[in-house]
Amino acid sequence: MTDGAPGGTADDGNALDVELLKRHLAGDAQAFTEIMRRHRDHLWAVALRTTGDPEDAADALQDGLISAMRHAASFRGDAKLSTWLHRIVVNACLDKLRRRAAHPTSPLPDDDRAPSTSRDEFDDRDTAADVRAALATLPADQRAAIVLVDIEGYPVADAAAILDVPAGTVKSRCARGRVKLVPLLAHLRGVERYPAAEGNPSADGHVEPQMNPPREDPR
Amino acid sequence: MSTPHPDQEALAELAGSADAADSAKAADSAATAEIRAHVADCAQCTADLAALRELRATLLALPPIPMPADVVARLEAALAAASASASAPAAGGTADVVPFARPAREKLRRTPRTREFPLGAAAAVVLVLAIGAVAIGLSNKGESKRSPTTAAAASSSAAASTASTTVIESGTNYTAADIRSQVIGVVNGAAPDAANQFPALRAPVEGGSSAAAAPAPAAAAATSAAAPAASFAPAASANGSAPALGLPARTAPSGPLSDPAALARCIQTLVQKAEQPVLVDYATFNGVPSTIIVLADPDVAGKLDVYVEADTANCASQVTFVIFLPPPASPAR
């Protein structure tokens, strides 16, 4: 959590990660835990949103982190360490989802929002829960791509490295996921604040246009 | 508008790239440029693109989700546990824990070497636990051909051919500090047959019950599979190991090693030869789902080697760790 934005600017963060990994390989029992601490919030967000379930997310994180710790020697430094770590954790999450799909015992929990919250009381928590519920409707591969690129803000190239697929595949997975998410999350787009007065459903099935004023850049 | 509407996915992909206004158009493919050109003239697609961009903005603006404290604690404990099994003194307790490079059995008799494979330290998950080897006052290895324990080992091998491995899910959470008594308890409870072969398993009963003053291993080895587990359960209890009693009925094991072929490969990897384990327990070690593999060491009389293989580790460890435990309280003789 001391690390900055993922995939972004701080290469010195990666240098510290690599140094910690060296210390881990040299026998420093605390070094890997320190690496985990540095990335835990990003990893948690990715795992939680990819699996859609806190238990599964924690399980997948534990599996992934221990696997990463034990196979630390396999880190070759051709990617950033955080990318490598995310890759292992995301794979653990997808494994988890595959196993659950093979043995469905409980439905994907669709949210953890407070039970009686009305639609006009959006706050961050509601938004996050709505997003999680919407993400749960996506196929896992699209969800993972959306989580990495559109939520965590990884560059497509980094997401491609994490997911071990070509960049074009990441782009198309994100695109398909976005198309599905738009109607599901339309209510988060400030419809009430900016009513789409000129609703104009077209004959060829386009979604209703909503000419919202441009918002301030959230980044 | 002169061109047909691009499909939604194309717009959605466009939404992931920079705004047309300030993007380097040279980076656009011809198709992308065409879509941009269309969107510029099409109110509907402009709106769709805006909706997609706003979706991205909403998602990117989501507040971070800090890892909950309980998850932090759980993960740090799991990492510490895994790390402890990779660092000698941390395993603590009364056990003398010595990391060394495998193959375990050869190295067992040599000076343990630390960090022979420093990279493998990360992969290490194996604990070798020598149970009560000293308790057997037998001759040295060279002349042990006819010793009772060799007979026991042979019997163990024979058991291999009859596939008598006990496979359980005891629900035990093994720990480095308690694994000795835990293994003793589980073997006694679930594999009394095997327990018969290892006097050390039964020895430390306070008050010297008749079970503790058991016959020589050779005789014990002849005991049929019908040997009652109950007669050894008290020994387990006396050892303070919880789960020996009330073992659950055999259920479908879980984890990668639940496949017998995978388990066999794992054992081959661990000890460099095919061996039939005395007992396999799909359980946890320090809370980490692990397969506990109990092998009768054919080279050291009366010794059990206990391998703890995390379910995620795929037996890829290059370093093993030995816990030399003190022998059990001197057996009744």
Side-chain angles (χ1 to χ4, degrees):
Chain A
M1 87 184 304
T2 57
D3 202 9
T9 55
D11 272 357
D12 50 338
N14 188 55
L16 178 51
D17 283 339
V18 171
E19 173 60 27
L20 285 166
L21 194 76
K22 284 179 185 163
R23 276 160 51 188
H24 164 69
L25 290 172
D28 181 340
Q30 296 304 314
F32 199 87
T33 300
E34 183 59 30
I35 293 174
M36 186 274 277
R37 288 192 184 119
R38 288 165 50 72
H39 298 287
R40 67 185 184 199
D41 288 348
H42 282 306
L43 291 170
W44 173 250
V46 168
L48 182 63
R49 287 171 168 143
T50 301
T51 63
D53 176 63
E55 274 303 309
D56 284 349
D59 287 350
L61 265 175
Q62 179 165 327
D63 289 352
L65 286 170
I66 287 178
S67 174
M69 186 174 79
R70 290 185 172 136
H71 296 91
S74 71
F75 175 70
R76 285 193 296 274
D78 46 8
K80 285 193 298 187
L81 192 138
S82 66
T83 301
W84 172 79
L85 208 53
H86 275 74
R87 180 173 178 162
I88 293 172
V89 167
V90 168
N91 279 332
C93 290
L94 296 176
D95 278 351
K96 198 89 194 162
L97 292 172
R98 276 191 285 271
R99 281 201 296 275
R100 189 168 56 190
H103 305 284
T105 53
S106 61
L108 201 64
D110 63 354
D111 66 49
D112 56 2
R113 81 189 77 166
S116 63
T117 304
S118 61
R119 280 285 163 199
D120 55 4
E121 293 179 325
F122 291 123
D123 58 15
D124 286 345
R125 191 168 51 87
D126 295 315
T127 300
D130 286 351
V131 167
R132 208 191 303 175
L135 286 172
T137 68
L138 299 181
D141 58 350
Q142 293 175 20
R143 182 163 61 238
I146 290 274
V147 166
L148 291 170
V149 174
D150 285 352
I151 298 183
E152 292 298 308
Y154 279 88
V156 168
D158 285 11
I162 289 170
L163 297 171
D164 199 20
V165 296
T169 304
V170 173
K171 287 183 187 172
S172 63
R173 286 179 183 174
C174 284
R176 289 198 294 272
R178 286 170 196 147
V179 169
K180 292 173 190 160
L181 288 179
V182 162
L184 293 174
L185 295 176
H187 63 280
L188 298 179
R189 294 172 50 228
V191 172
E192 289 161 10
R193 279 171 285 165
Y194 308 114
E198 70 282 62
N200 180 25
S202 70
D204 58 357
H206 269 52
V207 298
E208 181 178 354
Q210 293 174 348
M211 300 296 288
N212 295 334
R215 301 187 349 168
E216 61 281 5
D217 183 358
R219 295 304 263 178
Chain B
M1 45 195 105
S2 54
T3 53
H5 292 304
D7 66 26
Q8 287 290 300
E9 281 181 28
L11 281 180
E13 195 161 320
L14 192 60
S17 57
D19 280 338
D22 52 23
S23 72
K25 297 257 176 118
D28 282 354
S29 68
T32 305
E34 190 177 321
I35 292 170
R36 287 195 200 278
H38 170 94
V39 170
D41 288 338
C42 174
Q44 185 160 317
C45 287
T46 298
D48 289 351
L49 185 58
L52 287 158
R53 286 222 163 97
E54 192 162 355
L55 169 73
R56 288 203 75 209
T58 300
L59 295 177
L60 279 166
L62 285 173
I65 308 177
M67 184 182 285
D70 62 325
V71 177
V72 173
R74 169 182 164 184
L75 292 180
E76 292 193 353
L79 288 179
S83 182
S85 65
S87 91
T94 57
D96 176 13
V97 184
V98 186
F100 65 106
R102 85 161 174 232
R105 292 203 171 140
E106 280 78 14
K107 296 290 168 60
L108 197 56
R109 295 179 215 112
R110 299 177 189 168
T111 306
R113 274 180 279 174
T114 313
R115 302 290 170 208
E116 184 175 66
F117 298 116
L119 302 187
V125 236
V126 180
L127 298 171
V128 180
L129 166 63
I131 295 181
V134 189
I136 318 294
L138 291 171
S139 52
N140 65 37
K141 292 187 293 291
E143 41 190 22
S144 64
K145 287 282 185 201
R146 300 294 305 156
S147 77
T149 46
T150 302
S155 162
S156 171
S157 301
S161 61
T162 60
S164 70
T165 297
T166 302
V167 180
I168 59 169
E169 286 181 292
S170 71
T172 306
N173 179 29
Y174 292 86
T175 63
D178 294 332
I179 191 167
R180 180 179 164 277
S181 62
Q182 290 172 317
V183 166
I184 290 171
V186 171
V187 171
N188 270 291
D193 230 18
N196 277 343
Q197 298 171 12
F198 296 96
L201 287 175
R202 297 178 282 107
V205 178
E206 283 93 325
S209 73
S210 63
T223 309
S224 82
S231 66
F232 298 107
S237 305
N239 269 321
S241 80
L245 299 174
L247 287 172
R250 241 184 248 190
T251 54
S254 58
L257 296 179
S258 58
D259 171 17
L263 182 64
R265 281 195 300 276
C266 182
I267 291 171
Q268 174 80 36
T269 305
L270 291 172
V271 301
Q272 311 284 299
K273 61 184 167 184
E275 251 183 66
Q276 185 81 6
V278 172
L279 178 133
V280 176
D281 188 1
Y282 297 98
T284 58
F285 183 80
N286 285 328
V288 180
S290 302
T291 303
I292 283 69
I293 304 167
V294 181
L295 294 170
D297 190 328
D299 298 329
V300 181
K303 175 170 152 288
L304 293 180
D305 293 340
V306 180
Y307 292 82
V308 179
E309 188 67 29
D311 282 353
T312 52
N314 298 321
C315 304
S317 351
Q318 294 177 357
V319 177
T320 56
F321 296 86
V322 173
I323 302 174
F324 292 104
L325 289 166
S330 65
R333 283 220 174 238

